[in-house]
Amino acid sequence: RFLRALLNTLVFLAIHLPLQIAGALGLALLLHRPLFARSFWRAAFFLPVVISGAVVTILWGSLYATDVGLLNRALHRIGVGPVAWLTDPAIAMPAIAVMVTWKNIGFYVVIYLAGLQDVPRSCYEAIALEGATSWQRLRHVTLPLLRPQTWVVLTLSTINGFQLFIEPYILTGGGPLRRTLSVVLYMYKNAFGYQKMGYAATLGLALALVSLAVLALQRRLIGGQTS
C-alpha cells in the first residue's frame, strides 16, 4: 500500500508540476501586460491561495459531482455524457491535480511577476532591433531570465505536492481502488485510524527521504542551469 501511495503521489506530481509552471507563467505574462483593472485581476487570481483548502475542496467536489455537478451539466448541454471525475480510477487523480493547481497558482504567479519586473527593458529593445518575433523574445530573453523563478516554483510545488492530503481525504478518501491514496493520507490512516503510530512515523521518514531524493534530482537536472 505504501508503494501504491507513493506511485499515486508521483503521478500527481507528474501532472501537477507542468500544469503549475505553465499556468503560472502564462498568467504572469498576461497580467504583466497593460490591462484594464490589472490590479483587480492580480488580486482575483491570488484569492484562492488565501481560502481554506477544505473550503476549496468542497466547492470543487460540487463541480465534480457526477449527477448534479456543474461540469457535467455543461458537458450535457453540448451532448457529452457525464464524466465520473472522482469515481473513475483513471480520472480521479488528474482531476485532483487540476484542482490543486487552481488553488495554488496565484502564489506562483506572484513569483513570476516579480521576476518579470526585474527583466531589463534593454534586453527586449536589443532583440527587437534584430527583428525578433514575440515567440523569439519569449524563448531567448524571458524564459532564460526567469530560470531562477522557475526553479523556485518547481521546488515549492514539489514540496507541496508530496504533502497532498486534504483533497483526496475529502473528495475520495483514497479511492477509487486506492488510486488517489497519497502517502500523507496513508500516514494519517495508519496513525489515527489504526493507531499504528510507529509505522506512521516510519512512513513520514520514508516520505522525507523520497522528497529529498526527488529535489536533489531536480537540482542536478534543472537547478544547475539557473546559476
Side-chain angles (χ1 to χ4, degrees), residues 48-206:
V49 178
V50 299
I51 299 177
S52 169
V55 173
V56 171
T57 303
I58 293 172
L59 292 175
W60 275 78
S62 300
L63 293 176
Y64 282 146
T66 302
D67 297 326
V68 296
L70 295 179
L71 288 178
N72 280 332
R73 285 185 179 183
L75 292 176
H76 178 70
R77 291 186 177 182
I78 61 176
V80 179
V83 178
W85 298 104
L86 300 177
T87 55
D88 188 334
I91 300 177
M93 185 57 83
I96 290 177
V98 170
M99 182 193 65
V100 175
T101 300
W102 179 88
K103 169 70 171 66
N104 299 323
I105 197 169
F107 177 75
Y108 302 111
V109 168
V110 172
I111 295 177
Y112 274 124
L113 281 173
L116 287 171
Q117 293 176 358
D118 288 337
V119 176
R121 190 175 184 86
S122 58
C123 294
Y124 291 115
E125 294 174 350
I127 197 172
L129 293 176
E130 300 294 332
T133 63
S134 299
W135 165 248
Q136 290 173 332
R137 291 197 297 270
L138 175 65
R139 179 182 177 185
H140 297 292
V141 176
T142 305
L143 293 182
L145 292 178
L146 288 181
R147 281 176 181 170
Q149 286 74 24
T150 300
W151 168 242
V152 172
V153 171
L154 179 63
T155 302
L156 295 178
S157 297
T158 301
I159 295 173
N160 291 331
F162 275 112
Q163 299 174 3
L164 179 67
F165 169 71
I166 294 178
E167 294 80 9
Y169 175 73
I170 294 177
L171 291 178
T172 63
L177 300 178
R178 301 174 185 164
R179 292 297 182 88
T180 61
L181 180 67
S182 66
V183 177
V184 178
L185 179 55
Y186 185 49
M187 290 168 51
Y188 173 84
K189 288 186 175 183
N190 278 278
F192 301 102
Y194 310 133
Q195 300 300 316
K196 296 180 179 180
M197 295 296 179
Y199 181 55
T202 305
L203 292 175
L205 177 60

